[in-house]
């Protein structure tokens, strides 16, 4: 029923036999089983997450939530095969995971499917994840991480700061794109806001500091505001960074 404790759901849903079936450049096929042990689960979704890094510091680079909503009875298991397209510009070693979550954005399972080597151009704007933080305007003393979730009053403004590397071999003009999602970056996109065009010089030895105001939430609720950069044609040419906002 509606009052199921969250821990109870966590214990009942599992992902197993997850594996990378095939890879053709940046197009990857992934297979997995999703199962439920007790009570029916009428509201399950799944996603693929791409991350880079090692050990404890794995940073999400890209993720894709699939539209299908699964309903699983007690002791039921379903086999799924999905196709995931990684951003074409990525180059290097990455890790793929399969996520199961509910429509209230509660993650109930997360399993690594395997490692993948991508051979894209390597040319993109890289938002340096560990460089990003949040401050409430007017209260510069307190610095928050991007995953902390900052409670702000309606009249307050959140400012985000990141370093950005230009990995193109040329000057690039791009604009920040803020996509606000319900509760988590996998959630439904509620709104989108575009910043002004910025010129990024070709000399990537300098990480360029960028500072911008995050869009205000429409109503009190947990949101993820996902930052990426788009070129003048509206194509995404950077990794994505989610900022948790409350």
């Amino acid at each position: 029923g509606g009052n199921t404790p969250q821990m109870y759901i966590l214990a009942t849903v599992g992902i197993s036999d997850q594996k990378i079936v095939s890879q053709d450049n940046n197009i990857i096929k992934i297979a997995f089983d999703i199962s439920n042990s007790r009570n029916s689960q009428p509201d399950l979704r799944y996603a693929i997450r791409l991350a880079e890094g090692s050990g404890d510091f794995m940073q999400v680079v890209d993720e894709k939530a699939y539209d299908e909503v699964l309903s699983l009875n007690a002791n039921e298991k379903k086999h799924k095969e999905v196709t995931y397209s990684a951003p074409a510009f990525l180059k290097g070693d990455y890790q793929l995971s399969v996520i199961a979550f509910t429509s209230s954005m509660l993650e109930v399972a997360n399993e690594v499917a395997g490692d993948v080597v991508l051979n894209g151009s390597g040319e993109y704007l890289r938002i340096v994840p560990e460089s990003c933080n949040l401050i409430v305007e007017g209260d510069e003393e307190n610095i928050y991480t991007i995953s902390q979730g900052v409670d702000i009053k309606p009249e307050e403004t959140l400012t985000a700061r990141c370093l950005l590397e230009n990995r193109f071999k040329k000057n690039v003009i791009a604009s920040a794109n803020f996509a606000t999602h319900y509760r988590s970056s996998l959630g439904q996109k509620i709104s989108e806001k575009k910043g002004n065009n910025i010129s990024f010089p070709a000399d990537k030895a300098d990480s360029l500091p960028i500072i911008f105001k995050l869009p205000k939430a429409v109503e009190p609720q947990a949101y993820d505001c996902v930052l990426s950069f788009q070129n003048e044609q509206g194509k995404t040419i950077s990794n994505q960074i989610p900022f948790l906002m409350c």
Side-chain angles (χ1 to χ4, degrees), residues 61-72:
V61 180
D62 186 55
E63 53 191 1
K64 175 175 171 55
Y66 294 82
D67 292 333
E68 183 183 23
V69 179
L70 294 175
S71 183
L72 289 178

Side-chain angles (χ1 to χ4, degrees), residues 52 57-61 126-133 146 161-163 165 239-243:
E52 67 175 338
F57 194 83
M58 293 298 290
Q59 178 64 44
V60 176
V61 180
R126 181 171 184 264
I127 310 166
V128 183
E130 57 275 25
S131 75
C132 295
N133 56 43
I146 59 176
R161 304 182 294 188
C162 291
L163 291 177
E165 296 171 355
N239 54 330
Q240 301 181 7
I241 301 284
F243 291 89

Side-chain angles (χ1 to χ4, degrees), residues 20-30 82-90 96 115-120:
I20 295 169
V21 179
S22 66
Q23 179 183 354
D24 181 11
N25 293 322
N26 64 321
I27 312 292
I28 301 156
K29 277 203 173 126
I30 298 137
V82 298
T83 301
Y84 164 72
S85 302
F89 50 72
L90 290 179
L96 276 175
D115 295 326
V116 57
V117 178
L118 296 174
N119 285 307

Side-chain angles (χ1 to χ4, degrees), residues 6-242:
Q6 293 191 353
M7 290 308 293
Y8 187 68
I9 303 176
L10 286 170
T12 66
V13 176
I15 289 165
S16 56
D17 289 337
Q18 65 283 356
K19 55 179 179 285
I20 295 169
V21 179
S22 66
Q23 179 183 354
D24 181 11
N25 293 322
N26 64 321
I27 312 292
I28 301 156
K29 277 203 173 126
I30 298 137
F32 58 94
D33 291 342
I34 184 164
S35 59
N36 175 44
S37 55
R38 283 182 305 204
N39 296 18
S40 62
Q41 266 301 341
D43 171 33
L44 283 174
R45 292 184 57 200
Y46 51 88
I48 298 297
R49 193 171 274 165
L50 185 73
E52 67 175 338
S54 59
D56 291 339
F57 194 83
M58 293 298 290
Q59 178 64 44
V60 176
V61 180
D62 186 55
E63 53 191 1
K64 175 175 171 55
Y66 294 82
D67 292 333
E68 183 183 23
V69 179
L70 294 175
S71 183
L72 289 178
N73 296 321
N75 299 315
E76 189 181 2
K77 183 192 274 190
K78 284 189 175 164
H79 181 73
K80 299 268 49 136
E81 279 203 18
V82 298
T83 301
Y84 164 72
S85 302
F89 50 72
L90 290 179
K91 187 184 182 77
D93 300 330
Y94 297 88
Q95 189 182 73
L96 276 175
S97 299
V98 183
I99 316 293
F101 62 101
T102 66
S103 62
S104 62
M105 294 301 129
L106 175 68
E107 273 190 29
V108 290
N110 180 341
E111 297 291 343
V112 174
D115 295 326
V116 57
V117 178
L118 296 174
N119 285 307
S121 67
E123 296 190 350
Y124 67 110
L125 294 176
R126 181 171 184 264
I127 310 166
V128 183
E130 57 275 25
S131 75
C132 295
N133 56 43
L134 286 166
I135 48 174
V136 178
E137 210 165 86
D139 175 22
E140 277 72 19
E141 299 296 300
N142 292 312
I143 296 174
Y144 303 91
T145 69
I146 59 176
S147 57
Q148 259 177 320
V150 189
D151 277 319
I152 57 166
K153 303 183 188 80
E155 67 274 11
E156 290 180 323
T157 301
L158 265 185
T159 300
R161 304 182 294 188
C162 291
L163 291 177
L164 203 132
E165 296 171 355
N166 181 358
R167 293 195 169 181
F168 289 91
K169 297 173 180 71
K170 58 177 192 276
N171 293 346
V172 175
I173 293 172
S175 59
N177 184 64
F178 301 100
T180 304
H181 293 257
Y182 169 68
R183 284 207 172 161
S184 108
S185 51
L186 294 172
Q188 189 187 347
K189 193 189 287 184
I190 298 166
S191 65
E192 203 157 7
K193 183 173 176 251
K194 219 167 140 69
N196 298 327
N197 279 343
I198 308 171
S199 182
F200 296 98
D203 178 16
K204 66 163 184 188
D206 279 355
S207 294
L208 205 66
I210 45 171
I211 298 173
F212 36 80
K213 290 176 180 162
L214 291 180
K216 294 207 173 186
V218 192
E219 54 188 278
Q221 176 60 269
Y223 295 96
D224 254 12
C225 183
V226 179
L227 166 70
S228 59
F229 281 83
Q230 295 181 345
N231 64 12
E232 292 171 289
Q233 289 73 46
K235 188 177 168 196
T236 300
I237 56 166
S238 78
N239 54 330
Q240 301 181 7
I241 301 284

